[in-house]
Amino acid sequence: MVEQFLKYLRFEKNRSEQTVRRYAQSLREFETYFKGVDEELTWASVDADVIRGWLEAMMDKGHQATSMNADLSALRTFYRFALARRMVDHDPAHHVQGPKKNKPLPMYLKESEMNELLDDVEWGDNYKDVRARTIILLLYETGLRRAELSSLNDADIDFEARQLKVTGKRNKQRLIPFGEELARELQHYKMVRDGQVDRHSEAFFLSPRGERITGSQIYHLVNKHLSRVSSLKKRSPHVLRHTFATTMLNHDASLEGVRKLLGHESLETTEIYTHTTFEQLRRVYKEAHPRG
């Protein structure tokens, strides 16, 4: 069965020799596994539980989700071939789910780095510097996405109530409160902007030519100024969004509250930040506990 399948890949599907070898290796490894479980098992009598056991065995050996899913994909392709040619009477791989890929933990800046950037680093009083510091403070204090910041208009900022009206993904709007420091910074920026820039847009953040600031302009100014205090490889506006969420949770904000502030549809999306804060706790424990 396996040899017929490999000939099918090679001659009918015109797959590369590298692909054929990879499929062959996956199938041989699975055959070795199920023969070790029960010598009487055959390709036709294997069931889904045997396949799940194989995946669990690979997981125990430290195999990565990517390679395990590639092995499972080879098995699924093989059984579809075998079922279509009536070599087997069922496809045991059809409903078996592969392991989820581990999402990388979000990068974020330490509070000390943000304090250094906002309080200790020297900023100029020209329009570009005032705008850059205001944007960085706004991203850090509200967790806005880059596109949300770019689309912000004067009318979206309520200084009396201290809240932003933000238009997020799929045009969903949410209100985000902000504090006294950010209120002062936003008002100072607005005063400098109105005194130095000839406006051609209702946007709150403008280019020196008076046009709405673009996402790429926001990225470049954030990247430039974060490099003053951080050695992170990634220094994007989204890193400040991650920093906002991590800081909030580290200071006992509820997960549901952070979800609403970020504009996440699902709590699952927000939960990745709990892993970040747990990693911080793990480091603190290992550094502080004598037997850690």
Side-chain angles (χ1 to χ4, degrees):
M1 287 171 63
V2 171
E3 290 306 319
Q4 287 185 50
F5 171 66
L6 297 178
K7 287 179 182 178
Y8 159 79
L9 290 179
R10 186 177 287 113
F11 300 117
E12 293 186 41
K13 301 300 287 184
N14 292 319
R15 297 292 174 86
S16 69
E17 278 303 313
Q18 182 179 356
T19 298
V20 174
R21 283 197 299 271
R22 181 169 58 79
Y23 274 60
Q25 181 180 348
S26 296
L27 296 175
R28 293 304 181 198
E29 286 177 358
F30 177 60
E31 186 174 37
T32 300
Y33 170 80
F34 73 68
K35 288 296 184 183
V37 171
D38 186 341
E39 288 185 359
E40 295 185 5
L41 279 175
T42 66
W43 288 102
S45 63
V46 159
D47 60 19
D49 285 340
V50 175
I51 298 174
R52 292 190 187 100
W54 179 50
L55 294 175
E56 288 173 7
M58 285 194 287
M59 196 175 294
D60 290 341
K61 292 177 181 177
H63 288 223
Q64 296 296 314
T66 303
S67 65
M68 291 169 63
N69 280 314
D71 288 332
L72 181 58
S73 176
L75 202 59
R76 286 176 177 150
T77 306
F78 167 76
Y79 271 111
R80 283 198 297 270
F81 163 84
L83 188 64
R85 284 157 180 73
R86 298 184 179 179
M87 296 175 175
V88 296
D89 58 12
H90 72 291
D91 177 358
H94 182 67
H95 294 296
V96 176
Q97 296 293 319
K100 291 183 179 179
K101 295 179 182 178
N102 292 327
K103 292 184 179 179
L105 292 177
M107 294 183 182
Y108 61 95
L109 276 79
K110 300 173 185 176
E111 287 182 56
S112 59
E113 292 173 324
M114 290 306 302
N115 289 337
E116 180 185 354
L117 179 60
L118 295 168
D119 300 332
D120 301 332
V121 167
E122 187 175 341
W123 294 84
D125 55 7
N126 59 76
Y127 175 66
K128 284 189 175 181
D129 267 17
V130 171
R131 183 188 63 175
R133 188 182 187 281
T134 305
I135 284 175
I136 288 170
L137 182 63
L138 179 61
L139 291 171
Y140 178 47
E141 286 207 20
T142 64
L144 289 186
R145 299 178 178 96
R146 177 172 38 165
E148 293 170 345
L149 187 143
S150 175
S151 64
L152 205 62
N153 296 326
D154 279 24
D156 297 326
I157 303 176
D158 186 338
F159 285 102
E160 188 175 341
R162 286 191 195 157
Q163 63 184 23
L164 304 175
K165 183 172 70 176
V166 178
T167 303
K169 291 184 177 180
R170 291 179 289 280
N171 289 321
K172 288 195 173 183
Q173 292 191 330
R174 67 187 189 278
L175 294 176
I176 300 179
F178 58 86
E180 185 177 342
E181 180 189 7
L182 181 54
R184 286 196 307 269
E185 192 74 19
L186 291 170
Q187 287 170 327
H188 176 61
Y189 159 77
K190 188 178 178 184
M191 181 185 69
V192 173
R193 180 200 69 187
D194 293 345
Q196 297 186 24
V197 179
D198 185 14
R199 298 189 69 186
H200 300 293
S201 169
E202 62 181 348
F204 186 73
F205 288 107
L206 301 174
S207 72
R209 294 182 178 181
E211 298 163 347
R212 184 182 297 277
I213 194 171
T214 65
S216 61
Q217 288 170 333
I218 294 169
Y219 177 89
H220 287 301
L221 74 85
V222 169
N223 181 275
K224 172 186 172 182
H225 290 287
L226 291 191
S227 67
R228 300 167 79 179
V229 296
S230 174
S231 59
L232 286 177
K233 290 183 179 178
K234 188 174 182 182
R235 298 185 295 270
S236 68
H238 218 71
V239 167
L240 286 175
R241 181 169 163 87
H242 296 326
T243 303
F244 162 78
T246 305
T247 302
M248 292 287 289
L249 289 170
N250 283 340
H251 287 274
D252 300 325
S254 71
L255 197 61
E256 175 62 17
V258 173
R259 181 192 72 79
K260 289 179 179 178
L261 289 169
L262 290 173
H264 285 162
E265 291 279 343
S266 164
L267 202 60
E268 262 184 49
T269 311
T270 318
E271 280 176 342
I272 190 169
Y273 296 109
T274 63
H275 299 306
T276 302
T277 54
F278 180 76
E279 286 304 312
Q280 284 185 319
L281 288 176
R282 189 197 298 276
R283 285 197 296 273
V284 169
Y285 171 80
K286 289 183 74 172
E287 290 170 5
H289 198 284
R291 294 181 180 270

Short mmCIF file of all heavy atoms in Angstrom, two decimals, residues 161-183:
data_model
loop_
_atom_site.label_atom_id
_atom_site.label_comp_id
_atom_site.label_asym_id
_atom_site.label_seq_id
_atom_site.Cartn_x
_atom_site.Cartn_y
_atom_site.Cartn_z
N ALA A 161 -14.51 64.59 29.61
CA ALA A 161 -14.77 63.25 30.17
C ALA A 161 -13.50 62.40 30.20
O ALA A 161 -13.51 61.30 30.76
CB ALA A 161 -15.84 62.54 29.35
N ARG A 162 -12.44 62.88 29.57
CA ARG A 162 -11.18 62.15 29.45
C ARG A 162 -11.40 60.76 28.85
O ARG A 162 -11.12 59.74 29.49
CB ARG A 162 -10.46 62.05 30.79
CG ARG A 162 -9.82 63.34 31.23
CD ARG A 162 -8.92 63.08 32.42
NE ARG A 162 -8.56 64.32 33.08
CZ ARG A 162 -8.17 64.41 34.35
NH1 ARG A 162 -8.10 63.31 35.09
NH2 ARG A 162 -7.86 65.56 34.88
N GLN A 163 -11.89 60.75 27.64
CA GLN A 163 -12.08 59.47 26.96
C GLN A 163 -11.91 59.65 25.45
O GLN A 163 -12.14 60.72 24.90
CB GLN A 163 -13.45 58.87 27.27
CG GLN A 163 -14.63 59.70 26.81
CD GLN A 163 -15.95 59.10 27.25
OE1 GLN A 163 -16.02 58.35 28.22
NE2 GLN A 163 -17.01 59.42 26.55
N LEU A 164 -11.45 58.56 24.82
CA LEU A 164 -11.28 58.52 23.37
C LEU A 164 -12.39 57.68 22.77
O LEU A 164 -12.75 56.63 23.31
CB LEU A 164 -9.95 57.86 22.99
CG LEU A 164 -8.65 58.44 23.53
CD1 LEU A 164 -7.50 57.53 23.11
CD2 LEU A 164 -8.43 59.84 23.03
N LYS A 165 -12.91 58.12 21.65
CA LYS A 165 -13.82 57.28 20.86
C LYS A 165 -13.00 56.67 19.74
O LYS A 165 -12.51 57.39 18.86
CB LYS A 165 -14.98 58.10 20.30
CG LYS A 165 -16.00 57.26 19.54
CD LYS A 165 -17.23 58.07 19.16
CE LYS A 165 -16.90 59.09 18.08
NZ LYS A 165 -18.09 59.83 17.62
N VAL A 166 -12.82 55.36 19.79
CA VAL A 166 -11.90 54.67 18.88
C VAL A 166 -12.69 53.79 17.93
O VAL A 166 -13.60 53.06 18.35
CB VAL A 166 -10.90 53.81 19.68
CG1 VAL A 166 -9.97 53.05 18.75
CG2 VAL A 166 -10.09 54.69 20.63
N THR A 167 -12.34 53.85 16.65
CA THR A 167 -12.95 52.98 15.65
C THR A 167 -11.97 51.86 15.34
O THR A 167 -10.89 52.10 14.77
CB THR A 167 -13.28 53.75 14.36
OG1 THR A 167 -14.15 54.85 14.69
CG2 THR A 167 -13.98 52.85 13.35
N GLY A 168 -12.33 50.64 15.74
CA GLY A 168 -11.44 49.50 15.59
C GLY A 168 -11.75 48.66 14.38
O GLY A 168 -12.31 49.14 13.39
N LYS A 169 -11.38 47.37 14.46
CA LYS A 169 -11.61 46.46 13.35
C LYS A 169 -13.11 46.31 13.07
O LYS A 169 -13.93 46.35 13.98
CB LYS A 169 -11.00 45.08 13.67
CG LYS A 169 -9.47 45.09 13.70
CD LYS A 169 -8.94 43.69 13.94
CE LYS A 169 -7.41 43.67 13.90
NZ LYS A 169 -6.89 42.31 14.13
N ARG A 170 -13.43 46.15 11.78
CA ARG A 170 -14.82 46.02 11.32
C ARG A 170 -15.68 47.19 11.79
O ARG A 170 -16.86 47.05 12.07
CB ARG A 170 -15.41 44.67 11.78
CG ARG A 170 -14.77 43.48 11.07
CD ARG A 170 -15.34 42.17 11.54
NE ARG A 170 -14.90 41.86 12.89
CZ ARG A 170 -13.72 41.34 13.20
NH1 ARG A 170 -12.84 41.11 12.24
NH2 ARG A 170 -13.40 41.07 14.44
N ASN A 171 -15.04 48.36 11.89
CA ASN A 171 -15.71 49.62 12.23
C ASN A 171 -16.43 49.58 13.58
O ASN A 171 -17.38 50.34 13.80
CB ASN A 171 -16.70 50.02 11.13
CG ASN A 171 -15.98 50.47 9.87
OD1 ASN A 171 -14.96 51.15 9.94
ND2 ASN A 171 -16.51 50.07 8.72
N LYS A 172 -15.97 48.71 14.47
CA LYS A 172 -16.56 48.67 15.81
C LYS A 172 -15.95 49.77 16.67
O LYS A 172 -14.72 49.96 16.66
CB LYS A 172 -16.33 47.30 16.46
CG LYS A 172 -17.17 46.21 15.84
CD LYS A 172 -17.21 44.97 16.73
CE LYS A 172 -18.20 43.95 16.19
NZ LYS A 172 -18.29 42.77 17.07
N GLN A 173 -16.81 50.50 17.37
CA GLN A 173 -16.33 51.61 18.19
C GLN A 173 -16.30 51.23 19.66
O GLN A 173 -17.11 50.44 20.13
CB GLN A 173 -17.22 52.85 17.98
CG GLN A 173 -17.09 53.44 16.59
CD GLN A 173 -17.76 54.80 16.46
OE1 GLN A 173 -18.74 55.08 17.14
NE2 GLN A 173 -17.22 55.65 15.59
N ARG A 174 -15.34 51.81 20.36
CA ARG A 174 -15.25 51.61 21.80
C ARG A 174 -14.73 52.89 22.45
O ARG A 174 -14.09 53.72 21.76
CB ARG A 174 -14.32 50.43 22.14
CG ARG A 174 -12.86 50.62 21.82
CD ARG A 174 -12.09 49.32 22.05
NE ARG A 174 -10.64 49.48 21.96
CZ ARG A 174 -9.96 49.51 20.82
NH1 ARG A 174 -10.61 49.40 19.67
NH2 ARG A 174 -8.63 49.65 20.83
N LEU A 175 -15.01 53.06 23.72
CA LEU A 175 -14.54 54.21 24.47
C LEU A 175 -13.39 53.80 25.38
O LEU A 175 -13.47 52.77 26.05
CB LEU A 175 -15.67 54.81 25.31
CG LEU A 175 -16.84 55.43 24.52
CD1 LEU A 175 -17.94 55.88 25.49
CD2 LEU A 175 -16.38 56.60 23.67
N ILE A 176 -12.33 54.59 25.38
CA ILE A 176 -11.16 54.29 26.21
C ILE A 176 -10.88 55.50 27.10
O ILE A 176 -10.70 56.61 26.60
CB ILE A 176 -9.92 54.00 25.34
CG1 ILE A 176 -10.17 52.80 24.43
CG2 ILE A 176 -8.70 53.74 26.23
CD1 ILE A 176 -9.00 52.47 23.53
N PRO A 177 -10.85 55.30 28.41
CA PRO A 177 -10.53 56.42 29.31
C PRO A 177 -9.04 56.72 29.29
O PRO A 177 -8.23 55.87 28.93
CB PRO A 177 -10.96 55.89 30.68
CG PRO A 177 -10.80 54.41 30.57
CD PRO A 177 -11.12 54.05 29.15
N PHE A 178 -8.68 57.94 29.65
CA PHE A 178 -7.26 58.27 29.78
C PHE A 178 -7.05 59.19 30.97
O PHE A 178 -7.98 59.83 31.47
CB PHE A 178 -6.68 58.87 28.49
CG PHE A 178 -7.36 60.12 28.00
CD1 PHE A 178 -6.99 61.37 28.47
CD2 PHE A 178 -8.35 60.04 27.03
CE1 PHE A 178 -7.59 62.53 28.00
CE2 PHE A 178 -8.96 61.19 26.55
CZ PHE A 178 -8.59 62.44 27.04
N GLY A 179 -5.81 59.26 31.43
CA GLY A 179 -5.49 59.97 32.66
C GLY A 179 -5.08 61.41 32.47
O GLY A 179 -5.02 61.94 31.35
N GLU A 180 -4.74 62.04 33.58
CA GLU A 180 -4.43 63.46 33.60
C GLU A 180 -3.15 63.77 32.82
O GLU A 180 -3.08 64.77 32.09
CB GLU A 180 -4.27 63.92 35.06
CG GLU A 180 -4.07 65.41 35.21
CD GLU A 180 -3.98 65.82 36.67
OE1 GLU A 180 -4.41 65.04 37.55
OE2 GLU A 180 -3.48 66.93 36.92
N GLU A 181 -2.12 62.93 32.96
CA GLU A 181 -0.87 63.18 32.24
C GLU A 181 -1.09 63.17 30.74
O GLU A 181 -0.61 64.06 30.02
CB GLU A 181 0.19 62.14 32.61
CG GLU A 181 1.51 62.36 31.87
CD GLU A 181 2.52 61.23 32.06
OE1 GLU A 181 2.15 60.20 32.66
OE2 GLU A 181 3.66 61.38 31.59
N LEU A 182 -1.81 62.16 30.25
CA LEU A 182 -2.06 62.08 28.82
C LEU A 182 -2.93 63.24 28.35
O LEU A 182 -2.72 63.78 27.26
CB LEU A 182 -2.72 60.74 28.46
CG LEU A 182 -3.00 60.50 26.97
CD1 LEU A 182 -1.73 60.68 26.14
CD2 LEU A 182 -3.61 59.12 26.75
N ALA A 183 -3.89 63.66 29.17
CA ALA A 183 -4.73 64.80 28.81
C ALA A 183 -3.87 66.05 28.60
O ALA A 183 -4.04 66.79 27.62
CB ALA A 183 -5.78 65.04 29.90
#
